Amino acid sequence: LVNANTNSQTSGITSAVNNNTNSVVASASSSVVALVNANTSSVVTVASTSIASVVNTNTNSATAGITSAVNVNTNNVVLSASSSLAAAVAAGTASVNVNTNNVVATASSSLFATLPSAIWSYTSRTLSSFGTLAADVWSNSVRTLTSISLWNVSASDFGSVVAGSNYLATLSTTLNDSLTDSSVIPTVTIYDPSRNVVVNNVPMTRTSAGSYSYSYTTAGNAQAGTWETVFSATVEPGKTLSDNDYWTVVTAPAQVIINNISDTTVPEVAANITITNEGLTGYEYQYEWCVVSDINNRCGGGDDVFHGLAAKYINAGEDFNTTLTATVPNNGNYYFKLIAYFGTESSGASRSFTATGGATGNTGGGNTGSNSGGGGGGGGGGGSSSSTNTNPVVGAACVGADFNHDKIVNSVDFSILLAFWKTKPPFVNSCVDINRDKAVNSVDFSILLSQWGTKGRVF
């Protein structure tokens, strides 16, 4: 009953509601829509147009007025302020520059003038017033003047050796002037004249504290010329010192003989001599001869009765035989001397004779002098020129680096220079000391190179 009545009633309600709602809503909707649309459109349109027009008009005019006012006022004010400011700054800067320059200049001058005197006359500052520095340095018991490690190495100066003989080198290492062992045994490296390494970094032999030696036997065919030994000693970790020794290998010892005095007649005497190359290779020998009145007077030195110099290349095993002349102004007893040089070594011979004014041959003592030969002996003194002989080699004055007076500076002169390299004066051939500083070294070598290929010129 309930369901039936409810369904029936519900169906009626739905129909009634739907019918009434549709008509009322539609009507109301149309009325409301029409009314809203009509009112809204007209009002919004009018209002919108009115507002836009008013706003746009007022805004544009107001904005234009503001922009114009701001621009005009801003430009005027800024320009005026800028000009004023610029003028004030410029004027102020000029004033500052002028005043500053004057004041600084005055202050600088005043400071420069008074500073030294103020420092010098200041009496309050003393050495000991600088903290405790002076006292600390003076009283320090650990640091002393001798506590610094001052190492030194010194090598021997050997001189020369004949090829096939021994070269001996010694080296000493000192710490503050006391012989002290090097941290590492020193080594030697030996170069031949062509700068080939013959001995490479070989340890020396310790002979005593701080003393070392090394012996090297040269080959029989060793290259002639100046060799160099370089020593290297690491005396303490991180400290390596070096030294060197230049020495000469001679391959052509000479035999020298004065065969006889072939002419004793004043003013020009003559002697027949022979120089033999006893070495294994050919060699350019420098030789000198002189006449002296005292057997102990060595050739050279400017006090000879006569002195001459010459050079001759002699092949291995060959003899060079010639007659040497000398000017002797007065009758009397004399000695004819001949010396041939090979490297820093020399061989010599001497013979006594009596010069006479008319007789020929030997008189008053004859050929009773002595001959000496072989590869020994020290050389003669410096090679002065006092000869009047017409031979251009004999007694010729030094002409720069033309040591053998053949009017050309070449390898022969270079060989002569090497023969006397770093030797001590007096020099047998005094011309090798080109700059006359009593040493034959790189300065003379440089002069020789500058005159290479020329006739030589007086330095």
Side-chain angles (χ1 to χ4, degrees):
L1 183 61
V2 171
N3 287 339
N5 291 330
T6 300
N7 289 339
S8 174
Q9 187 62 34
T10 300
S11 180
I13 292 170
T14 300
S15 177
V17 170
N18 286 339
N19 290 331
N20 292 329
T21 299
N22 288 339
S23 61
V24 175
V25 169
S27 176
S29 175
S30 299
S31 176
V32 172
V33 171
L35 181 60
V36 170
N37 287 339
N39 293 332
T40 300
S41 297
S42 60
V43 174
V44 169
T45 301
V46 173
S48 174
T49 303
S50 174
I51 291 171
S53 175
V54 173
V55 171
N56 288 337
T57 301
N58 291 335
T59 300
N60 289 338
S61 61
T63 300
I66 291 170
T67 302
S68 176
V70 170
N71 287 339
V72 171
N73 293 330
T74 300
N75 289 340
N76 291 339
V77 175
V78 170
L79 286 175
S80 176
S82 174
S83 300
S84 174
L85 182 61
V89 171
T93 302
S95 177
V96 169
N97 288 339
V98 172
N99 293 330
T100 300
N101 289 340
N102 291 339
V103 175
V104 170
T106 302
S108 176
S109 299
S110 174
L111 182 63
F112 182 78
T114 60
L115 185 59
S117 60
I119 293 174
W120 185 260
S121 61
Y122 186 69
T123 58
S124 298
R125 176 67 63 191
T126 65
L127 287 175
S128 59
S129 68
F130 185 67
T132 60
L133 180 61
D136 289 344
V137 172
W138 185 259
S139 62
N140 190 292
S141 60
V142 177
R143 176 66 63 189
T144 65
L145 291 176
T146 58
S147 65
I148 186 172
S149 298
L150 183 59
W151 283 95
N152 183 55
V153 298
S154 179
S156 59
D157 185 5
F158 186 77
S160 64
V161 60
V162 177
S165 300
N166 285 344
Y167 162 76
L168 180 63
T170 60
L171 185 75
S172 62
T173 57
T174 60
L175 175 60
N176 298 329
D177 296 327
S178 296
L179 286 169
T180 306
D181 282 337
S182 174
S183 175
V184 179
I185 296 292
T187 61
V188 296
T189 298
I190 298 178
Y191 299 89
D192 68 15
S194 299
R195 299 304 293 175
N196 297 311
V197 177
V198 179
V199 174
N200 188 18
N201 205 35
V202 175
M204 302 182 73
T205 299
R206 180 183 182 275
T207 56
S208 62
S211 298
Y212 307 88
S213 67
Y214 179 77
S215 179
Y216 170 69
T217 301
T218 61
N221 60 348
Q223 183 178 353
T226 301
W227 292 51
E228 181 185 12
T229 301
V230 177
F231 304 86
S232 179
T234 301
V235 293
E236 63 183 44
K239 180 178 290 185
T240 300
L241 303 179
S242 62
D243 200 357
N244 68 337
D245 174 32
Y246 290 99
W247 48 286
T248 304
V249 170
V250 179
T251 59
Q255 181 190 56
V256 176
I257 299 175
I258 299 176
N259 299 308
N260 58 70
I261 307 298
S262 57
D263 187 355
T264 61
T265 304
V266 173
E268 187 173 83
V269 299
N272 182 267
I273 64 97
T274 299
I275 299 176
T276 303
N277 181 347
E278 296 182 319
L280 302 176
T281 60
Y283 192 78
E284 176 83 13
Y285 293 94
Q286 300 294 311
Y287 63 94
E288 67 174 337
W289 67 100
C290 65
V291 173
V292 295
S293 56
D294 183 350
I295 186 61
N296 295 315
N297 187 2
R298 302 172 69 182
C299 285
D303 57 352
D304 302 337
V305 176
F306 174 90
H307 181 266
L309 290 169
K312 176 64 177 178
Y313 182 88
I314 306 174
N315 290 319
E318 291 187 354
D319 296 333
F320 168 60
N321 184 265
T322 189
T323 296
L324 302 176
T325 59
T327 299
V328 178
N330 301 312
N331 294 346
N333 296 322
Y334 299 97
Y335 296 90
F336 197 107
K337 292 187 174 184
L338 172 65
I339 303 171
Y341 297 91
F342 43 98
T344 57
E345 300 294 325
S346 64
S347 294
S350 66
R351 196 173 189 103
S352 65
F353 70 98
T354 299
T356 62
T360 59
N362 296 320
T363 61
N367 296 330
T368 58
S370 61
N371 295 327
S372 63
S384 63
S385 305
S386 58
S387 171
T388 57
N389 193 289
T390 57
N391 187 334
V393 173
V394 178
C398 296
V399 184
D402 181 20
F403 305 137
N404 65 339
H405 306 289
D406 63 351
K407 297 183 179 180
I408 181 68
V409 178
N410 53 22
S411 58
V412 175
D413 302 292
F414 176 62
S415 177
I416 297 171
L417 183 73
L418 289 181
F420 294 95
W421 186 260
K422 291 195 174 181
T423 59
K424 297 180 179 179
F427 308 108
V428 172
N429 186 338
S430 62
C431 296
V432 295
D433 183 16
I434 306 175
N435 66 336
R436 297 295 185 265
D437 63 350
K438 296 183 180 180
V440 179
N441 52 27
S442 58
V443 176
D444 303 291
F445 177 64
S446 178
I447 297 172
L448 180 144
L449 289 181
S450 70
Q451 298 183 9
W452 191 270
T454 70
K455 294 181 179 180
R457 55 184 177 276
V458 177
F459 178 76

